Amino acid sequence: IMGDHVHAKGEWMVEYKYMNMYMDGNRVGKHRVTDQEAIGAPGPPPGVVIDGIRTNAGATPTKITMEMHMAHIMYGASDDVTLYTLAVLPSLSMDHIRGDDNPPRGSSFRTHNSGFGDTAFGALLRLYSTPDHDFILNLGCSVPTGDIFRETTVPTSGRSLQPLPYAMRLGSGTFNFRPGFTIRKFWDWYSWGGQIQTDIPIGRNYRGYSVGEEFRLNSWTSVLLTDNWSVSMRGQHVWRTAFDGADPTANNLIISTNVEEFRGGYWYSLGLGSQAIIKGHYFNAEFVPTLYQNLDGIQLATDYAVIASWSKSW
């Protein structure tokens, strides 16, 4: 959980975090659909119609793997104010099968994109603290350092360039406001915490759209097994809205990942983790399966994520 603690005046913390998220198979609302259903019945015109929108005439995504490397730095400006920055390096690989007849219908291909994502900055303000409680306000934002327009010839087997769809882009293209609030309570051998975190784009980017607003609610319990080892369980609710506006090059007839209305939904996942302190170094690992999701339109279903991190304070 980012933004769940502050540091004493003059204290630094550096953290490296790795996340791997795996998405497999398409879903409409709460229901799975096969790859063939995602493309639609054979014969012209190919593609499926959902909420009056025809899509996946060119191809349907079948799975995506998203890796993300994150560098996180925190500094205690005072005992009650901690400054932070977060740089991310995402790597996206998406598999597809073709829905048209040239190249052959049903053949597969993979697209890839990687580079810098958007960079986050902010301040954590300790509003109230006792030996048993912490109340922390997160005044965060992000700046659009992630590339949102790249082209590839892979879908057309080298015949022509196509822009990568929304799901394969590295950033939002906008300055985003990211306020949040965290509460934590401690006992002798266990603790509980809750956090509300948001991500709200400001205006539209230079491609003519803004990504959906995101609202994330986490609650967790951590149990101390020894002086240096604990286990945790975390529930996470995520709500996202549809995109506003549209990139004029995003042809939503070709593929569902180009449909602005199909970017929102609700996800609930459960994180099972373990934490250890070894010679002043803090290690964390967590497995996060998605237990429930209700997606707007047709989208790839999120199966699970794996998260690991190392941090050091001084």
Side-chain angles (χ1 to χ4, degrees):
I1 294 291
M2 295 287 188
D4 69 330
H5 67 281
V6 297
H7 289 270
K9 182 179 180 179
E11 187 177 49
W12 288 86
M13 187 207 78
V14 294
E15 179 183 35
Y16 165 74
K17 179 173 288 188
Y18 171 80
M19 183 181 74
N20 188 307
M21 179 180 292
Y22 183 71
M23 306 167 75
D24 185 21
N26 283 278
R27 184 182 293 262
V28 178
K30 298 178 287 186
H31 307 290
R32 288 269 190 178
V33 295
T34 67
D35 293 342
Q36 291 71 30
E37 290 170 332
I39 293 176
V48 295
V49 178
I50 299 172
D51 296 331
I53 300 171
R54 181 176 292 279
T55 188
N56 285 345
T60 183
T62 58
K63 64 181 178 180
I64 184 171
T65 300
M66 182 183 75
E67 292 184 285
M68 188 172 293
H69 303 272
M70 293 166 272
H72 186 205
I73 300 174
M74 304 179 75
Y75 172 71
S78 73
D79 287 340
D80 295 320
V81 178
T82 294
L83 308 178
Y84 69 87
T85 183
L86 175 68
V88 299
L89 190 70
S91 177
L92 308 169
S93 296
M94 182 181 285
D95 291 346
H96 310 71
I97 56 173
R98 292 184 171 92
D100 53 16
D101 293 325
N102 189 17
R105 179 183 174 88
S107 59
S108 63
F109 66 94
R110 172 177 291 183
T111 55
H112 178 78
N113 196 13
S114 62
F116 284 102
D118 290 349
T119 303
F121 299 92
L124 301 174
L125 312 180
R126 193 195 331 246
L127 302 179
Y128 177 76
S129 180
T130 71
D132 299 330
H133 290 84
D134 262 336
F135 296 84
I136 300 170
L137 177 66
N138 184 355
L139 296 179
C141 66
S142 66
V143 296
T145 51
D147 195 341
I148 63 169
F149 187 79
R150 288 183 180 175
E151 295 179 304
T152 179
T153 61
V154 171
T156 62
S157 297
R159 296 196 316 275
S160 62
L161 283 168
Q162 287 185 356
L164 289 170
Y166 295 124
M168 293 290 291
R169 302 186 182 189
L170 303 178
S172 65
T174 57
F175 291 89
N176 290 14
F177 184 41
R178 303 178 64 182
F181 178 77
T182 303
I183 180 174
R184 298 195 303 169
K185 181 170 175 55
F186 305 93
W187 291 269
D188 289 340
W189 54 274
Y190 71 101
S191 65
W192 174 88
Q195 184 186 81
I196 299 173
Q197 184 64 50
T198 62
D199 194 347
I200 302 171
I202 302 171
R204 296 182 180 179
N205 56 42
Y206 79 96
R207 300 302 305 175
Y209 70 94
S210 63
V211 301
E213 298 177 349
E214 180 176 293
F215 305 89
R216 191 178 295 261
L217 174 62
N218 278 281
S219 61
W220 64 91
T221 299
S222 180
V223 177
L224 195 63
L225 300 180
T226 70
D227 289 342
N228 299 313
W229 178 36
S230 64
V231 293
S232 62
M233 184 169 64
R234 174 171 65 95
Q236 176 175 261
H237 305 262
V238 177
W239 296 266
R240 295 193 189 103
T241 64
F243 283 14
D244 179 46
D247 185 333
T249 64
N251 186 340
N252 59 24
L253 175 65
I254 292 177
I255 192 167
S256 54
T257 45
N258 269 339
V259 181
E260 294 80 15
E261 294 90 337
F262 293 175
R263 305 308 305 151
Y266 166 73
W267 295 258
Y268 176 74
S269 54
L270 182 68
L272 304 173
S274 180
Q275 302 78 36
I277 299 175
I278 303 175
K279 295 183 178 180
H281 298 261
Y282 181 78
F283 297 91
N284 175 70
E286 190 177 36
F287 176 63
V288 191
T290 302
L291 302 185
Y292 177 85
Q293 50 200 307
N294 189 352
L295 311 182
D296 298 342
I298 182 170
Q299 298 182 49
L300 285 173
T302 303
D303 284 2
Y304 62 86
V306 176
I307 304 170
S309 67
W310 161 88
S311 65
K312 172 69 176 176
S313 300
W314 68 93

